[in-house]
Amino acid sequence: MRVIVAGLGNMGRSHALAYHAHPDAQIVGLVNRSTTKLPDALADYPTFKTFEEGLGLNPDLVCIATYSDSHADYAIAAMEAGADVFIEKPLATTFEDARRVVATATRLNRKLVVGYILRHHPSWQRLIVEARALGGPYVFRMNLNQQSDGPTWDTHKALMQTTSPIVDCGVHYVDVMCQITDAKPVRVSGMGLRLSDEIATDMYNYGQLQVWFDDGSIGWYEAGWGPMMSETAFFVKDVVSPNGAVSITDGNKGASDNVDGHTKVGGLLVHRPSGDKLIDLPDEPDHQALCNAEQAFVIDAISNNSDLSRHMNDAVQSLAICLAADESIRMGHPIDLGDQQ
């Protein structure tokens, strides 16, 4: 399977390494608009400055790991050129663009996989199973704040030229909420604040969303980026029900801007009124192993012509919730999701 990877930041490099290691993938080109240092394993692959040059190689699969504002146009161009697509989250920066990408995949019968890496993590899968076993309705309490500085803060500032923290990271955790409750989201509100003069006046580097589901479940997610952020309680993952709660008890301890820690669970505490159960989760996959699993899923889905319609719909739903929260922050009032189902 001939593959190009567009965007060679942290995620793009990891995905390229996954393709490099997969026996059914052949990297034919790497695309990045600026020169960047690559791992030794990737150093001999041809590199190109523009996405158009990459598409000119006639790839079977295009991996898009560029900044969010290019995702929709790049994905549509790749599918129209005859390729299947893996695209990093978020799928797009507007709900309309997300629907446009999914419509193109459906019309052209292309495979489209969105980079929801937690779906490939056995410990997060276990969290979902344990939470569903408690039964709803649920209260979801989740956050990922990052005390970023230096190069990581520079990356965050670049991301915030087009995408807020609650959209960029929130899609992961809202997707987890949706998998647990399996109910329809009906209402979203949000609040946010600009805490730095280094970002645009119409952007915020701290945000929180609240979401209501039609089964009575409710949830919140918060995300903040920057050197001013607190590392106290920056990694909260709780699911509460009438019958108890499931909580991540270990995992990321300190170094809140370290991407390798953002997926770690370490252990789960399952609390019921009758007693608590601690589930130890040793030998969790690291970030690269998760990317390897994610790309193996993509290649398998293409090879076996898997039905990805539910995956695409779920990706649009979680994005719609986060984008509605972003709109709520900017407009100053809650958003009814009735028009975005």
Side-chain angles (χ1 to χ4, degrees):
M1 193 173 296
R2 294 166 54 83
V3 182
I4 66 166
V5 179
L8 297 174
N10 181 70
M11 294 307 299
R13 288 194 299 270
S14 294
H15 294 316
L17 288 169
Y19 294 123
H20 172 79
H22 197 289
D24 295 331
Q26 176 192 1
I27 296 175
V28 295
L30 302 173
V31 178
N32 206 62
R33 61 186 179 185
S34 60
T35 302
T36 186
K37 183 174 175 55
L38 294 173
D40 290 343
L42 304 178
D44 293 334
Y45 288 114
T47 58
F48 303 89
K49 296 289 188 184
T50 70
F51 188 69
E52 292 74 20
E53 289 177 292
L55 283 188
L57 301 172
N58 297 317
D60 303 304
L61 171 61
V62 173
C63 171
I64 300 170
T66 53
Y67 284 116
S68 305
D69 58 336
S70 62
H71 283 186
D73 287 342
Y74 281 4
I76 289 171
M79 290 186 284
E80 289 180 341
D84 296 306
V85 169
F86 170 85
I87 189 167
E88 258 305 326
K89 57 77 189 167
L91 173 59
T93 54
T94 70
F95 180 72
E96 293 75 17
D97 275 351
R99 294 294 297 269
R100 192 162 58 94
V101 174
V102 171
T104 302
T106 302
R107 174 173 57 86
L108 297 176
N109 195 28
R110 306 285 185 231
K111 301 303 179 189
L112 173 67
V113 176
V114 185
Y116 284 4
I117 199 168
L118 297 183
R119 287 189 167 220
H120 305 276
H121 196 306
S123 298
W124 283 87
Q125 292 168 356
R126 179 66 180 273
L127 181 150
I128 292 168
V129 168
E130 294 292 339
R132 287 180 64 87
L134 289 173
Y138 300 96
V139 175
F140 302 107
R141 305 170 62 242
M142 299 192 180
N143 73 358
L144 179 58
N145 295 312
Q146 299 183 53
Q147 191 182 91
S148 56
D149 56 16
T152 309
W153 177 226
D154 289 339
T155 297
H156 283 156
K157 286 185 288 186
L159 285 168
M160 284 186 286
Q161 292 178 24
T162 59
T163 310
S164 71
I166 61 168
V167 174
D168 181 80
C169 295
V171 289
H172 284 307
Y173 304 105
V174 169
D175 181 57
V176 170
M177 296 180 194
C178 292
Q179 288 183 73
I180 292 171
T181 183
D182 204 26
K184 179 181 177 182
V186 293
R187 188 168 180 258
V188 174
S189 67
M191 59 182 180
L193 193 62
R194 177 176 177 261
L195 296 171
S196 172
D197 292 337
E198 297 180 59
I199 62 176
T201 56
D202 61 348
M203 179 54 73
Y204 53 93
N205 63 308
Y206 171 83
Q208 186 189 83
L209 66 81
Q210 303 87 38
V211 57
W212 290 257
F213 295 89
D214 67 359
D215 69 341
S217 296
I218 58 173
W220 60 258
Y221 172 76
E222 71 167 5
W225 293 341
M228 74 295 293
M229 292 306 302
S230 169
E231 284 195 332
T232 301
F234 71 88
F235 191 78
V236 175
K237 304 292 186 295
D238 284 335
V239 182
V240 184
S241 90
N243 302 307
V246 181
S247 307
I248 291 179
T249 61
D250 207 347
N252 193 347
K253 300 294 187 183
S256 59
D257 64 348
N258 181 354
V259 69
D260 287 316
H262 294 172
T263 59
K264 289 191 179 300
V265 172
L268 295 174
L269 179 63
V270 181
H271 163 72
R272 294 178 183 268
S274 59
D276 292 352
K277 176 177 69 173
L278 183 61
I279 302 173
D280 187 31
L281 298 167
D283 304 320
E284 289 188 295
D286 63 14
H287 182 261
Q288 186 57 55
L290 286 171
C291 289
N292 292 351
E294 193 168 35
Q295 298 312 325
F297 171 83
V298 174
I299 291 170
D300 180 77
I302 295 169
S303 299
N304 293 301
N305 194 29
S306 301
D307 182 358
L308 296 176
S309 55
R310 175 65 185 268
H311 171 87
M312 291 189 292
N313 290 336
D314 288 352
V316 171
Q317 176 174 262
S318 57
L319 177 61
I321 292 170
C322 293
L323 289 173
D326 184 79
E327 182 181 353
S328 173
I329 291 170
R330 299 175 190 278
M331 300 295 291
H333 59 75
I335 303 297
D336 186 338
L337 288 174
D339 295 333
Q340 297 188 347
Q341 300 300 318

